[in-house]
């Protein structure tokens, strides 16, 4: 499985580098200031190792989060690396009883990224988690449910509106117990 992940990432890396000579794993490029010429930076933002439904919910959560930020703070760029770490955490919460928590944040999320994407260093600045079990199957509806739950909670809303962050990762997982989502901000 790890070999398949590496092969998939290598293919994405090659395809991404065809558009730019920049190395997308260079940590100096990943945290480029917003006021710099963005064409100089390669950002891989495709869904990474998720099924079609999961990827659709994750993308919709990013879009809806940016809609909430509009006019208040700058939009966030979808980070597939942080989304991978967020999905790993959501999968853990979905599969282990009594694991709906922020345990290990930020260290375990950063370690997940370091293990999957060697050489990439990301410093997490915030995390939101949520779960529901109302059986929503439409990706847009599921994303709206998550974003509204976070928006209606001051601490979660503060994370969504935090100034000075540039990237968001979103990970979603399904289980018989419900649907879990994690937002990571960096």
């Amino acid at each position: 499985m790890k070999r398949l992940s590496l092969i998939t990432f290598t293919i994405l890396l090659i395809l991404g580098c065809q558009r730019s000579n920049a190395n997308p794993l260079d940590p100096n490029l990943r945290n480029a200031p917003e006021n710099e010429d963005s064409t100089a930076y390669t950002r891989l933002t495709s869904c990474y190792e998720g099924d079609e439904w999961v990827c659709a919910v994750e993308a919709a959560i990013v879009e809806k989060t940016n809609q909430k930020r509009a006019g208040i703070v700058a939009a966030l760029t979808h980070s597939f690396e942080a989304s991978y770490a967020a999905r790993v955490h959501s999968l853990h919460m979905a599969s282990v009883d009594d694991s709906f928590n922020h345990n290990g944040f930020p260290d375990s999320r950063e370690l997940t990224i370091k293990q999957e994407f060697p050489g990439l260093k990301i410093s997490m600045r915030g995390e939101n988690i949520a779960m529901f079990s109302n059986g929503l199957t439409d990706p847009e509806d599921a994303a709206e449910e998550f974003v509204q739950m976070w928006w209606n909670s001051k601490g979660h809303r503060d994370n969504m509106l935090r100034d000075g962050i540039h990237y968001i990762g979103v990970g979603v997982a399904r289980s018989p117990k419900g649907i879990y989502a994690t937002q990571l901000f960096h």
Side-chain angles (χ1 to χ4, degrees):
M1 186 67 169
K2 186 74 168 174
R3 183 175 171 86
L4 182 59
S5 297
L6 184 58
I7 291 169
T8 303
F9 178 69
T10 302
I11 291 169
L12 286 171
L13 182 61
I14 291 168
L15 291 174
C17 287
Q18 287 177 349
R19 286 174 266 149
S20 170
N21 290 331
N23 177 358
L25 292 180
D26 183 341
N28 296 319
L29 299 183
R30 306 306 281 160
N31 295 313
E34 284 189 345
N35 59 352
E36 301 236 354
D37 178 14
S38 63
T39 60
Y41 304 102
T42 300
R43 291 187 178 100
L44 301 177
T45 59
S46 300
C47 188
Y48 183 70
E49 293 195 3
D51 66 41
E52 184 177 342
W53 188 86
V54 163
C55 293
V57 175
E58 292 171 356
I61 288 173
V62 172
E63 179 182 334
K64 291 174 186 309
T65 298
N66 278 329
Q67 289 170 356
K68 296 287 190 186
R69 289 173 60 93
I72 302 169
V73 290
L76 300 170
T77 298
H78 190 179
S79 163
F80 90 95
E81 300 95 343
S83 291
Y84 176 78
R87 193 174 316 120
V88 167
H89 185 61
S90 292
L91 286 166
H92 175 76
M93 291 189 299
S95 65
V96 178
D97 287 338
D98 298 322
S99 65
F100 184 74
N101 57 54
H102 294 281
N103 289 355
F105 179 81
D107 296 337
S108 69
R109 308 320 172 255
E110 292 170 1
L111 180 60
T112 298
I113 290 170
K114 182 179 179 180
Q115 290 172 339
E116 189 69 16
F117 309 102
L120 182 63
K121 181 170 175 21
I122 292 177
S123 296
M124 295 297 163
R125 304 261 318 275
E127 175 179 74
N128 288 341
I129 60 172
M131 179 267 190
F132 64 81
S133 56
N134 62 11
L136 290 174
T137 57
D138 179 72
E140 288 288 326
D141 292 343
E144 184 66 29
E145 179 82 10
F146 283 121
V147 171
Q148 276 308 122
M149 284 193 295
W150 290 319
W151 191 253
N152 293 334
S153 162
K154 181 182 180 337
H156 295 97
R157 184 175 53 249
D158 289 348
N159 277 342
M160 292 169 72
L161 295 175
R162 183 171 289 159
D163 198 14
I165 57 171
H166 305 287
Y167 299 96
I168 182 174
V170 177
V172 172
R174 295 180 281 186
S175 81
K177 298 183 290 185
I179 304 169
Y180 294 76
T182 303
Q183 284 183 314
L184 293 174
F185 303 95
H186 66 99

